[in-house]
Amino acid sequence: MPRCGDCQRLNLPCRWPSDHQSSRAGSRHAPSSVSAASETPEVLSPQTTSSDEGRSSVEELPVVSSRGSRSLGMRLSPNCSWNPHLQTSEDRSLFNHYVHIVARALSRSSDLDGNPFIATLLPIAATSDTVTNVILGLSGGHWRRVYPNIWNRALTRQGKALSQINRLLTLSDPRSTFEACTAVLLLCLTELFDGTSRVWKWHLKAASAILKSLPMDSLASKSEWNFCISLFHYLDAMSTISSCKPPLLHSDSTIEDFTALLASRTPPEPLPESKGSIDAIYGISPALFDFLGMVNLLADHRNRRVDELSEIGFRTAAAHLESQVDSWRSNQDHITDTPLTGPAKEVAAATTAFEWAIRLRLHQIVEGYDPSHEKVESSIQRILAAVLEIPYGSKVEGCLLFPLVIAGASSTDMERRMFVKERLMVLENTLGFRHIQYARPLLETVWEDEPYGEGSGRGPNWAYVRYSRFPGVVFV
């Protein structure tokens, strides 16, 4: 039997004959799959009576089908089923869009039941106007490209959240601090996905300070804490690629600290209770994001190679990092020594693409950007071969933006460039976040810029491209 909210949304009269008859009788009323780039607010806005004003039930929301998924609406707990902080029809449209499109696009796990962007955030939003405001802002940022008018309402709610966060931070109880932390992390995510913003840096620094505050200690090891800390580590690692700056966690590390850290460290294993958040946020091994942060920490030190001794220290640190990646890969091959199929095979392919993007990035930092180098060619081959194994619409498709941009920027072959462009165009529509649409123009600028183009014998000048024309692009 279709959900009543679906029929209301589509303005269809209820013609369900009886409970005992076949569900096929109502199949003509079921909503079809909706692309992230083709929706309209009317499609996702349930009709409500006057008594329902200010209250939107997830049980009444339309369910957008996705490959291999079931209805989210039927599995949400009672605490997730409504939100009393929605004031207008635009609020409800934004909320619906978040539940059925944005939350799914954010999650990189095939386990929809364990999607923390639903299971963790919606109960919090039901009791927090601040978190609701940020969720609506994130939803509006995602919808902005195809429905720009909704952005005004989303921006109003987002601005309201900023003042509410300031008030929450004046309180000392753990719950208020946790709400503020969650809201700040989501604001950071919203700004990163904008693609042109620099504000995300301040949000990330604020989240770091809140996570270290005393009230947050009482929440350690709880699912909400695991979600926040996983999201923070993810954003901290991925944001470094646009700035060539170290992660906040290692912002004061010297090259000697860096070398000692790599010589003694092993990638931490996630706690069992946090695995759901980690799978949904990262999609692939968190160790790779840790390596990415280390690569960009190394990048921050490359301009300090002023003599032979500093050059030796720099290359020693790079060799330690490459050895860490090699050891990690050896362990991965030992664990996955049997043929993989389905989602597990897609995760393995995304892992390979990301791994070789990191290796290519490390090579560029140490040796430069010559596209004819043997290491560059082998890395590009492995990245693009892995991407080919991942079908359109895969849950781990969001992990491909960084590998595609890194491989595309170093490609001189036209066929490879067209492959990368085509896959980025797909990402623009299947994921729909604004920062993705800036990746293609960035690559075209790299390819067309004469001093760094095909046949010049030189690779892309990332500093020129990033800071001169694309100041806020982040390859999350």
Side-chain angles (χ1 to χ4, degrees), residues 237-238 240-241 284-296 298 318 321-322 324-326 328 350-366 375 379-380 383 399 402-404 406-407:
M238 286 306 301
T240 62
I241 192 62
I284 56 180
S285 172
L288 287 173
F289 294 83
D290 201 18
F291 290 139
L292 179 60
M294 296 298 99
V295 167
N296 288 296
L298 189 66
L321 180 53
E322 187 170 22
Q324 286 272 320
V325 178
D326 291 341
W328 171 85
T351 299
T352 299
F354 209 96
E355 172 198 348
W356 282 96
I358 290 173
R359 291 181 183 273
L360 176 54
R361 182 76 179 129
L362 178 60
H363 166 81
Q364 291 173 341
I365 289 169
V366 177
K375 185 66 172 288
S379 298
I380 293 175
I383 292 170
C399 300
F402 168 59
L404 284 171
I406 293 297

Side-chain angles (χ1 to χ4, degrees), residues 226-252:
N226 289 325
F227 171 76
C228 285
I229 199 68
S230 297
L231 184 56
F232 171 79
H233 278 279
Y234 170 78
L235 295 175
D236 192 21
M238 286 306 301
S239 62
T240 62
I241 192 62
S242 283
S243 59
C244 289
K245 297 295 183 181
L248 288 178
L249 298 176
H250 302 289
S251 57
D252 297 325

Side-chain angles (χ1 to χ4, degrees), residues 136-450:
L136 298 186
L138 177 60
S139 179
H142 182 269
W143 224 352
R144 187 176 177 183
R145 182 162 65 103
V146 294
Y147 184 40
N149 291 339
I150 201 72
W151 177 239
N152 291 330
R153 181 58 183 172
L155 199 59
T156 298
R157 297 297 296 250
Q158 186 172 300
K160 184 180 176 184
L162 288 170
S163 62
Q164 291 173 328
I165 290 170
N166 290 330
R167 182 184 59 81
L168 287 172
L169 291 176
T170 63
L171 307 175
S172 59
D173 62 289
R175 185 65 191 178
S176 298
T177 306
F178 170 70
E179 283 185 32
C181 184
T182 303
V184 169
L185 283 169
L186 293 178
L187 283 173
C188 181
L189 192 63
T190 303
E191 297 295 340
L192 283 170
F193 284 162
D194 175 79
T196 59
S197 171
R198 295 182 184 273
V199 181
W200 61 266
K201 299 175 184 179
W202 302 107
H203 292 318
L204 194 60
K205 289 180 180 179
S208 176
I210 297 172
L211 284 167
K212 296 174 184 176
S213 65
L214 187 61
M216 290 295 288
D217 288 344
S218 62
L219 298 174
S221 79
K222 293 186 178 180
S223 60
E224 294 90 346
W225 162 264
N226 289 325
F227 171 76
C228 285
I229 199 68
S230 297
L231 184 56
F232 171 79
H233 278 279
Y234 170 78
L235 295 175
D236 192 21
M238 286 306 301
S239 62
T240 62
I241 192 62
S242 283
S243 59
C244 289
K245 297 295 183 181
L248 288 178
L249 298 176
H250 302 289
S251 57
D252 297 325
S253 297
T254 65
I255 196 68
E256 291 79 13
D257 296 334
F258 177 68
T259 305
L261 175 67
L262 289 174
S264 62
R265 70 190 278 278
T266 56
E269 290 295 326
L271 296 173
E273 63 266 21
S274 67
K275 192 176 187 304
S277 290
I278 286 177
D279 287 345
I281 292 171
Y282 289 92
I284 56 180
S285 172
L288 287 173
F289 294 83
D290 201 18
F291 290 139
L292 179 60
M294 296 298 99
V295 167
N296 288 296
L297 194 161
L298 189 66
D300 190 46
H301 288 277
R302 60 183 162 181
N303 62 347
R304 304 173 194 177
R305 294 180 285 178
V306 295
D307 53 31
E308 185 177 354
L309 186 61
S310 59
E311 177 71 21
I312 292 173
F314 181 84
R315 289 184 174 273
T316 300
H320 274 296
L321 180 53
E322 187 170 22
S323 176
Q324 286 272 320
V325 178
D326 291 341
S327 297
W328 171 85
R329 169 45 67 184
S330 178
N331 291 335
Q332 288 292 113
D333 292 341
H334 177 72
I335 295 171
T336 57
D337 56 355
T338 57
L340 300 174
T341 58
K345 183 179 180 180
E346 296 169 20
V347 170
T351 299
T352 299
F354 209 96
E355 172 198 348
W356 282 96
I358 290 173
R359 291 181 183 273
L360 176 54
R361 182 76 179 129
L362 178 60
H363 166 81
Q364 291 173 341
I365 289 169
V366 177
E367 304 294 346
Y369 295 94
D370 182 3
S372 63
H373 195 284
E374 180 182 356
K375 185 66 172 288
V376 175
E377 173 63 23
S378 63
S379 298
I380 293 175
Q381 285 182 355
R382 286 176 167 87
I383 292 170
L384 298 186
V387 171
L388 276 171
E389 297 183 22
I390 301 173
Y392 299 145
S394 168
K395 294 300 293 184
V396 294
E397 198 171 33
C399 300
L400 299 182
L401 185 56
F402 168 59
L404 284 171
V405 172
I406 293 297
S410 299
S411 295
T412 57
D413 180 78
M414 184 58 67
E415 183 177 355
R416 286 178 173 174
R417 290 180 175 182
M418 292 303 101
F419 171 77
V420 170
K421 283 181 64 175
E422 185 266 345
R423 198 63 194 250
L424 288 174
M425 291 173 67
V426 172
L427 283 176
E428 291 175 25
N429 289 302
T430 56
L431 296 181
F433 296 108
R434 290 186 77 229
H435 72 291
I436 300 173
Q437 65 184 291
Y438 293 106
R440 260 192 312 130
L442 184 147
L443 286 177
E444 289 168 356
T445 302
V446 172
W447 296 332
E448 294 172 5
D449 192 52
E450 187 173 352

